Amino acid sequence: MLPYWLGEIERVISGPVEPVPFGREPTDLVRVLTVDRDRTLPVSELYGRLDNSLERVLRRLLELDERQAARRGFHKLRGEMTVRQIVDTMLASHLEEHCSELAAALDAERSAGA
């Protein structure tokens, strides 16, 4: 997820005319197939990917200047968004949602094993 959204942010930053189209819908075939594939991977591999992705994404986001953060993109479902809003919504909020899902799954697993 993180490399995908960094790529979309880069697309908005470098687009010739604002707002730059970005993003995908939940039913996007590549997204669905990627999620299905990743469900088969060991958790250690997923954590390793997350560590590498977080480092790369954070490094790049810290490099953005105000002009880049203010660039505008257009998402089919969410409408016009600045890069700053894309980071807040598509990255930060999305990560928080996944953390909550993971915590709930771990709690359920612990409860089932008790």
Side-chain angles (χ1 to χ4, degrees):
M1 160 187 107
L2 293 175
Y4 172 79
W5 285 111
L6 181 58
E8 295 301 285
I9 287 166
E10 296 293 357
R11 178 190 317 279
V12 172
I13 289 170
S14 64
V17 178
E18 294 181 81
V20 179
F22 78 96
R24 58 189 174 193
E25 297 177 32
T27 57
D28 179 83
L29 183 60
V30 173
R31 179 193 170 278
V32 171
L33 292 174
T34 301
V35 169
D36 284 347
R37 180 205 60 210
D38 286 357
R39 283 187 179 127
T40 67
L41 296 174
V43 172
S44 61
E45 171 61 19
L46 296 173
Y47 277 124
R49 288 180 181 189
L50 181 60
D51 284 344
N52 290 333
S53 297
L54 272 173
E55 189 175 313
R56 180 173 169 236
V57 169
L58 286 173
R59 186 174 48 247
R60 177 61 179 126
L61 293 178
L62 290 171
E63 294 172 355
L64 298 181
D65 60 31
E66 285 301 315
R67 182 189 59 77
Q68 292 169 316
R71 291 278 302 179
R72 294 172 299 118
F74 185 83
H75 188 271
K76 288 179 186 177
L77 301 177
R78 297 184 181 264
E80 196 169 296
M81 301 174 77
T82 64
V83 166
R84 185 175 283 107
Q85 290 169 317
I86 295 168
V87 170
D88 288 346
T89 303
M90 305 306 207
L91 281 174
S93 294
H94 198 157
L95 276 174
E96 288 172 358
E97 290 170 14
H98 283 297
C99 287
S100 296
E101 291 169 355
L102 179 58
L106 291 173
D107 286 344
E109 188 175 298
R110 273 187 236 129
S111 295

